[in-house]
Amino acid sequence: MSAPTAILNADLHCHSQVSDGTLTPEQLAARAAANGVELWALTDHDEVGGLHRARDAAAVAGLNYLTGAEISVTFAGITVHIVGLGFDIDDRALHEGLRRTRGGREERARDMAAGLAQVGIQGAFEGALQYVGNPELISRTHFARHLVATGVCADTSEVFRRFLTEGKPGFVPFKWATLRDAVRWIVDAGGMAVIAHPGRYAFTPTEEYALFTEFIAHGGQGVEVVTGSHTTADYVKYAEMAKEFDLYASRGSDFHSPDESHTDLGALPFLPGQLKPVWEVLEGRILRPH
Ligand code: AMP
Ligand code: MN
Ligand code: MN
Ligand code: MN
């Protein structure tokens, strides 16, 4: 028998300037390679606009490459992220679905700025825009960078805590894609859908069970077990959930920026050896550098 395939430095979750990261796809590929990543995917929020560059940069950097995206979904009133991997970059229905999911971000951002103005923070929309690399993808992260740069908060996590989460002045409730649509777009484009960082959602156990069950019913097959936003206890819990629900396990840093992310590209524990890794199924979708 061959060595367990779970032992691979795969990083299948990170962000570029095409969404809310600060590096270019080329800089990310070079950094991943320098950090010893063996299989890489760029997963910008609701956007595949960086993937041709990422694919070419992966080839230059000598990385095995999978296409990727992280789709914003609303499930049981909570925002959930679904990562798609290994889909066809040019799939039209996926492009259209993502375009619709991105739509409304500008209006949401104007409403966020209005909420911040009410607590005395003026000009936040224009301020956030200065950090935006993709005009269709203004996000809370860009507001956070602006409020740190202007000295309102010491770091981005303080901005989220004080201003950008449920019930705070800059928070605007928003309806993203449905779980069903997001999974369908990915699967119909030949890819695998993966529940991103399940440890981050404020679900009751019943709601979490419903998320996993419905995700699988729609054709979802994977779950992130080892990610930058999971604790060691989360690794154990979601390894068990992966086994219980017979899901493939994924691994990704969720790297956004050298200045903000505490988990660098590829700098994660390996997947627990007894899990089936997503790359086992995605074998035929991996682009190899030569
Ligand atoms: P949005 O899609 O505009 O709602 O922004 C979501 C993004 O905000 C996530 O992808 C993270 O990059 C970032 N984010 C969410 N919560 C936090 C937090 N507590 N601290 C820092 N960044 C966060
Ligand atoms: Mn993000
Ligand atoms: Mn996410
Ligand atoms: Mn992410």
Side-chain angles (χ1 to χ4, degrees):
M1 214 179 106
S2 57
T5 57
I7 310 304
L8 180 79
N9 192 346
D11 194 328
L12 304 179
H13 189 152
C14 68
H15 299 273
S16 76
Q17 291 169 1
V18 172
S19 64
D20 60 348
T22 61
L23 302 184
T24 62
E26 291 79 12
Q27 288 170 322
L28 288 166
R31 190 175 181 103
N35 288 0
V37 170
E38 295 162 276
L39 173 63
W40 176 63
L42 170 65
T43 55
D44 278 311
H45 296 285
D46 307 323
E47 176 66 277
V48 291
L51 296 190
H52 286 104
R53 286 171 64 187
R55 178 196 61 196
D56 295 348
V60 170
L63 290 168
N64 295 314
Y65 172 77
L66 280 169
T67 56
E70 181 177 22
I71 306 182
S72 310
V73 159
T74 302
F75 181 83
I78 285 180
T79 300
V80 167
H81 288 167
I82 300 296
V83 164
L85 296 171
F87 51 77
D88 171 4
I89 294 188
D90 299 312
D91 185 86
R92 292 211 16 214
L94 175 67
H95 277 242
E96 176 55 21
L98 293 179
R99 195 187 59 72
R100 284 209 314 271
T101 307
R102 288 193 300 272
R105 273 187 179 268
E106 180 175 336
E107 192 185 343
R108 169 191 187 234
R110 291 191 188 278
D111 291 347
M112 286 169 60
L116 291 169
Q118 288 197 341
V119 292
I121 300 167
Q122 307 297 334
F125 178 79
E126 294 71 20
L129 263 191
Q130 294 189 299
Y131 296 89
V132 169
N134 173 357
E136 286 184 38
L137 222 116
I138 180 162
S139 88
R140 286 185 291 163
T141 313
H142 302 111
F143 281 84
R145 292 195 181 121
H146 169 65
L147 295 195
V148 171
T150 52
V152 176
C153 292
D155 55 37
T156 52
S157 48
E158 185 190 335
V159 184
F160 276 88
R161 201 170 55 246
R162 287 177 54 198
F163 296 106
L164 299 182
T165 40
E166 183 102 47
K168 300 298 163 64
F171 184 79
V172 174
F174 198 75
K175 205 145 179 288
W176 301 106
T178 65
L179 180 64
R180 177 198 174 88
D181 282 349
V183 172
R184 285 279 176 85
W185 297 331
I186 295 162
V187 172
D188 290 350
M192 181 192 278
V194 177
I195 300 174
H197 43 62
R200 282 238 313 252
Y201 311 127
F203 286 130
T204 63
T206 308
E207 288 168 336
E208 185 176 65
Y209 190 89
L211 170 68
F212 276 64
T213 308
E214 290 185 33
F215 170 74
I216 291 166
H218 295 315
Q221 288 187 287
V223 60
E224 285 184 349
V225 172
V226 174
T227 112
S229 47
H230 275 179
T231 63
T232 309
D234 289 330
Y235 298 158
V236 176
K237 174 178 175 185
Y238 292 102
E240 284 307 312
M241 295 272 281
K243 283 190 274 184
E244 182 185 344
F245 287 89
D246 198 25
L247 289 167
Y248 291 91
S250 193
R251 176 182 190 265
S253 58
D254 207 357
F255 180 80
H256 282 71
S257 162
D259 303 325
E260 295 163 14
S261 300
H262 32 250
T263 306
D264 206 334
L265 287 158
L268 297 152
F270 288 116
L271 282 180
Q274 77 278 20
L275 298 180
K276 298 176 300 177
V278 293
W279 46 89
E280 223 172 80
V281 186
L282 292 167
E283 189 64 33
R285 314 288 304 179
I286 297 174
L287 293 178
R288 304 188 185 275
H290 39 74

